Amino acid sequence: MTESHHAVFGHPIAHSLSPRIHARFGRQTGVALRFEAIDATPDTFASALDAFAAAGGSGASVTLPLKEAALALCADASDRARRAGAVNTLVRDGGHWRGDNTDGVGLVRDLTGRHGLDLRQRRTLLLGAGGAAHGVAPALIDAGIGDLFIVNRTSARADALVDKLGLPKHVHSRYLEDLAALGEFDLVINATSAARAPAAGEAGSGLPTLPTSLVGARTACVDLSYGEVAIPFLAWARAAGAHHAIDGVGMLVEQAAEAFKLWHGIRPYTDEAYAALRERDALLVTGD
Ligand code: NAP
């Protein structure tokens, strides 16, 4: 059987879980594949992607900080990738790259399928307006959430995301300083990278102060990050009394399954990969 060649591009990328997830999907579905992690910065991404294609690469995942750059390198992109302004999945098609974005559908599948949440009419707070927020906001709207408030450290980026979503009446941007005045939410999503260790030369960071008034007894709090990076937000959510405190492992597995389907035409079962990641890496257990 011919082995297909795949990779995840990002920076840093050494600790990416994607090679492990896709190897497991391959074994489960009988698809022969090779999946590597390729470190590329925005400056080196285009040439690294060319070299990957020249070596027979037929599909790639794209992560931080390359998702917007990936869209620019595509000859064609799906509607959801264009709405997100970011690509996390590349498919080689007739000598060109076709882009898609599976982050949003991955998050929605995790929340509704794995965690059994009904997203319809949920008053939602989205913290962050970077690549991940761009990816998940359209999918959350499509899933039928209620009012969506977008709050970002750089407020102009929150405004830009509201613009990009077509300025629907139920989507609003607000300042970080005004969080305490926003009341209680049914769904609070942390799509920031605030708790990540700062890169060399960057100032230290940390989760912004979040008022506990955002959380009620039925609130679901979701961090798109996982592992150590998700600890501060999930700890805050539990201390505030959230009903669910969910990290981004399930989203990671679901978005990967959607990418796998785009490349191989078959959607793997995800429960096994999800359980294996939790077990092998002792990642945070969700609090629901
Ligand atoms: P990004 O494009 O670099 O955006 C980072 C966001 O975090 C921006 O909104 C930024 O605000 C904000 N931020 C950074 N430091 C901050 C601080 N100290 N205080 C407040 N806000 C801060 O990154 P991304 O691609 O959106 O990724 C965000 C997180 O989601 C990452 O941890 C990533 O691993 C995770 N993620 C997970 C999955 C998954 O499958 N589970 C998928 C995608 C992303 P400014 O605009 O003000 O800089």
Side-chain angles (χ1 to χ4, degrees), residues 68-278:
E68 276 115 17
L71 177 60
L73 295 174
C74 290
D76 186 22
S78 67
D79 187 45
R80 61 190 180 184
R82 289 192 190 289
R83 280 171 82 198
V87 156
N88 80 335
T89 305
L90 291 164
V91 183
R92 196 72 179 158
D93 186 8
H96 300 286
W97 290 110
R98 188 157 42 82
D100 205 338
N101 193 314
T102 63
D103 278 341
V105 68
L107 175 66
V108 168
R109 281 193 78 124
D110 182 51
L111 297 184
T112 58
R114 181 165 291 108
H115 297 284
L117 298 184
D118 184 350
L119 298 180
R120 286 171 300 174
Q121 295 308 320
R122 283 201 176 228
R123 186 171 192 264
T124 300
L125 173 63
L126 180 61
L127 298 165
H134 276 74
V136 301
L140 290 168
I141 292 171
D142 292 349
I145 59 165
D147 276 323
L148 172 63
F149 290 78
I150 302 174
V151 172
N152 192 48
R153 176 178 62 178
T154 308
S155 60
R157 291 184 83 192
D159 294 342
L161 176 50
V162 176
D163 277 356
K164 192 162 224 159
L165 293 167
L167 296 166
K169 277 203 178 69
H170 65 297
V171 180
H172 325 272
S173 62
R174 292 288 185 272
Y175 294 116
L176 200 52
E177 306 78 71
D178 295 339
L179 275 178
L182 295 185
E184 192 177 300
F185 288 89
D186 304 310
L187 180 61
V188 178
I189 297 179
N190 180 27
T192 77
S193 54
R196 277 180 179 267
E202 272 181 15
S205 61
L207 196 65
T209 306
L210 302 173
T212 53
S213 57
L214 299 172
V215 174
R218 303 292 311 159
T219 306
C221 290
V222 181
D223 198 322
L224 303 192
S225 306
Y226 41 83
E228 282 185 355
V229 183
I231 290 174
F233 179 77
L234 295 184
W236 168 82
R238 290 190 182 105
H243 192 256
H244 293 79
I246 298 169
D247 71 7
V249 172
M251 171 182 170
L252 180 75
V253 173
E254 296 302 328
Q255 64 78 25
E258 295 291 325
F260 193 93
K261 187 175 163 203
L262 290 170
W263 297 329
H264 308 295
I266 175 169
R267 193 180 199 282
Y269 294 111
T270 53
D271 285 355
E272 209 181 74
Y274 178 79
L277 285 182
R278 292 238 170 265

